[in-house]
Amino acid sequence: GNSVTQMEGPVTLSEEAFLTINCTYTATGYPSLFWYVQYPGEGLQLLLKATKADDKGSNKGFEATYRKETTSFHLEKGSVQVSDSAVYFCALRESSSNTGKLIFGQGTTLQVKP
Amino acid sequence: EAGVAQSPRYKIIEKRQSVAFWCNPISGHATLYWYQQILGQGPKLLIQFQNNGVVDDSQLPKDRFSAERLKGVDSTLKIQPAKLEDSAVYLCASTNPTSGGGTQYFGPGTRLLVL
């Protein structure tokens, strides 16, 4: 079946450091790919998405590129801030439907220290 | 635009008791989802509604879990009887299938602890 694998956390960085959180997926067809973020005490928020190969999603300084050849969607940010501390989830939606369920990775906790 | 509303935010019950969660999706969103998020894991779909019909309930433990969306708007998720392993955050999400590329918007969740 379809699945998503994320790098294990927690990831601890100093402010202004470069961030990479790895995400790889297994899926048939051409899924849509997402990054969601969960701040402490809050619900999941969509951070960015990409719906086809080579698309780059971006938001709030975060970027991820849909790489079909490596089945990856790694999240990057050039300079993290303390306010970026949160849990980040990579997810896919199967290609057959615009309303299909999301399949999530296990989440990666990011802690940014001043 | 108001987001997805859920209540209660927290619930503590003893095993074998029953519990119900409520969700009010974003206005106009025809598709509604309930996900279960166990600590340290990503959310997993329990059930998906399109208006008041069930689209996918393949992962719902039907011997103890039930859900309904009678008028195609609000939804309730019930657990009866609860087990220790049901301790989790229950997330409701909604989407408008005709716009926004099917982006799912999540509520704040209900955190359930079963003792």
Side-chain angles (χ1 to χ4, degrees):
Chain A
N2 297 341
S3 65
V4 175
T5 302
Q6 292 180 233
M7 66 185 288
E8 297 232 357
V11 174
T12 302
L13 296 174
S14 297
E15 208 165 21
E16 299 183 2
F18 184 87
L19 169 71
T20 299
I21 300 179
N22 289 339
C23 171
T24 58
Y25 68 90
T26 301
T28 54
Y30 299 90
S32 295
L33 301 174
F34 303 82
W35 277 100
Y36 277 82
V37 59
Q38 189 171 38
Y39 297 103
E42 298 184 15
L44 288 165
Q45 300 175 24
L46 178 66
L47 183 58
L48 52 84
K49 67 179 183 182
T51 58
K52 60 183 187 294
D54 299 325
D55 267 4
K56 178 186 283 187
S58 62
N59 186 27
K60 299 182 181 179
F62 291 90
E63 293 183 340
T65 301
Y66 189 144
R67 302 283 189 203
K68 187 157 180 64
E69 63 275 15
T70 54
T71 62
S72 65
F73 194 54
H74 304 321
L75 182 68
E76 296 182 335
K77 187 174 185 183
S79 176
V80 294
Q81 305 301 313
V82 172
S83 57
D84 294 327
S85 298
V87 182
Y88 292 81
F89 291 92
C90 184
L92 69 81
R93 186 182 67 216
E94 296 165 340
S95 57
S96 59
S97 169
N98 204 29
T99 58
K101 67 182 179 186
L102 293 173
I103 296 172
F104 287 88
Q106 75 272 29
T108 303
T109 299
L110 170 65
Q111 185 176 28
V112 181
K113 296 188 173 181
Chain B
E1 179 182 72
V4 177
Q6 291 188 247
S7 67
R9 292 294 307 275
Y10 305 93
K11 191 73 178 179
I12 301 174
I13 62 173
E14 296 191 348
K15 59 183 179 183
R16 291 188 290 273
Q17 286 187 322
S18 62
V19 64
F21 313 129
W22 173 82
C23 172
N24 181 235
I26 293 172
S27 177
H29 281 197
T31 310
L32 184 147
Y33 312 79
W34 283 102
Y35 290 85
Q36 181 192 56
Q37 185 179 12
I38 293 172
L39 187 64
Q41 299 181 18
K44 289 184 173 59
L45 182 75
L46 290 174
I47 189 167
Q48 176 183 345
F49 291 94
Q50 180 72 18
N51 296 308
N52 60 352
V54 174
V55 173
D56 183 353
D57 63 356
S58 57
Q59 299 301 307
L60 188 73
K62 298 180 186 63
D63 57 333
R64 298 182 301 104
F65 285 65
S66 63
E68 60 184 15
R69 195 184 183 201
L70 294 176
K71 296 183 179 178
V73 180
D74 294 4
S75 177
T76 55
L77 176 69
K78 296 179 182 178
I79 308 175
Q80 182 180 13
K83 292 186 175 182
L84 296 178
E85 59 261 34
D86 298 331
S87 294
V89 177
Y90 291 85
L91 298 167
C92 181
S94 69
T95 189
N96 181 342
T98 60
S99 69
T103 297
Q104 294 184 24
Y105 296 88
F106 285 80
T110 297
R111 188 175 299 274
L112 173 67
L113 179 60
V114 182
L115 301 176

